[in-house]
Amino acid sequence: MPLRPLGRSPLAIAPLAFGGNVFGWSADEKRSFELLDAFVDAGFNLIDTADVYSAWVPGNRGGESEAIIGRWLRASGKRDRVLIATKVAKWAEQPGLSPVNIQQAVEGSLKRLQVDCIDLYQAHEDDASIPLAETLGAFGRLIEQGKVRAIGASNYSADRFADALKVSAEHGLPRYESLQPEYNLLRRAGYERELEPLVRREQVGVISYYALASGFLTGKYRSEADLAKSRARGAGVRKYLDARGLGILDALDRVAASHRATPAQVALAWLIARPGLTAPIASATSVAQLRELLDAVKLALAPDEIALLDQASAEA
């Protein structure tokens, strides 16, 4: 599996990451173990989670995903074959990016994950109430303590991310080596207009989320009637059932047919081919579904196919 450098960090990752938001939600522990084994045994290595996963599930409180990953790491003995990325700031029990909260939150994540060091520790969202120098200083101390190898950020605006990089340089603090934005064929402008030029110029790694737009880009939802196929996601993808969304599905179908591939594989391959994007994050709830998604890395899109997808998904 060819690995890609993550920013200027010492981490190198396969071109597709696994999203751990499903663990303890739509995948129980047994299924989660099966998915993790299949993912790693296929040569992939980055598992992305967060302390807040999956607090939204009735009966959960948060930390379930990390705990499942931790039990799998212990049972499988595969710690040396994976990179663990988790996040802090969005969990109601450990909110924000104050130095005190970051120090407390990392201890909880380390315990649940059953590891001595987190490979990539990310700010899950910006916290403008805390000076950037204080937040980055707290992350720096974790690196000094050997509890974190590299840091990243998610859901930052271009201005705030640029400010964070500037503060790191001016104060000699570790910088965010990765950015985790929402980015897919349906949601392009927010990343491409401001964030993409910044991260490419600054050599920051990008691990994008919602790679398949909550499943819409799999082609599963093509009409109002199809929304009933998923109680959890049907309502969320209704907004994509317009001329642009259906045009994107048509373009995916055309490219997929020429490769004997699936729309989901093509949508992921488009992201993997994007200059500056290190790896999209995708989730699966069955091993068969996961193997389909992993095959996206074998799909080489021709320039005219990328142009077709670009044109179909262009935003006004």
Side-chain angles (χ1 to χ4, degrees), residues 131-167:
L132 286 165
E134 292 187 19
T135 291
L136 292 163
F139 281 133
R141 285 187 288 276
L142 297 184
I143 293 174
E144 292 171 358
Q145 294 164 9
K147 295 176 179 179
V148 169
R149 294 178 66 192
I151 59 172
S154 180
N155 300 307
Y156 271 52
S157 68
D159 286 345
R160 284 287 288 177
F161 196 77
D163 286 346
L165 294 176
K166 182 179 179 182
V167 167

Side-chain angles (χ1 to χ4, degrees), residues 292-303:
E292 174 199 341
L293 301 183
L294 297 183
D295 280 345
V297 303
K298 304 174 185 177
L299 187 58
L301 300 181

Side-chain angles (χ1 to χ4, degrees), residues 72-140:
W72 170 78
L73 286 172
R74 171 163 289 190
S76 70
K78 295 176 180 176
R79 176 65 181 102
D80 62 343
R81 296 171 59 185
V82 298
L83 298 175
I84 302 297
T86 192
K87 313 180 197 75
V88 57
K90 291 186 76 171
W91 190 16
E93 295 194 18
Q94 302 270 199
L97 294 174
S98 70
V100 170
N101 187 63
I102 288 172
Q103 187 70 49
Q104 292 176 345
V106 78
E107 298 298 342
S109 289
L110 288 167
K111 183 176 181 179
R112 287 185 293 273
L113 289 164
Q114 300 189 49
V115 297
D116 297 322
C117 180
I118 292 165
D119 298 295
L120 178 65
Y121 199 39
Q122 302 160 97
H124 205 161
E125 64 182 0
D126 191 11
D127 181 356
S129 70
I130 306 298
L132 286 165
E134 292 187 19
T135 291
L136 292 163
F139 281 133

Side-chain angles (χ1 to χ4, degrees), residues 46-65:
L46 182 65
I47 301 163
D48 179 79
T49 186
D51 56 6
V52 70
Y53 300 165
S54 45
W56 58 86
V57 178
N60 285 3
R61 54 171 293 189
E64 288 80 13
S65 175

Side-chain angles (χ1 to χ4, degrees), residues 18 21-22 42 49-50 62 67 87 130 137 156 176 234 248 313:
F18 195 105
N21 60 315
V22 296
T49 186
K87 313 180 197 75
I130 306 298
Y156 271 52
Y176 289 137
I248 292 171
S313 62

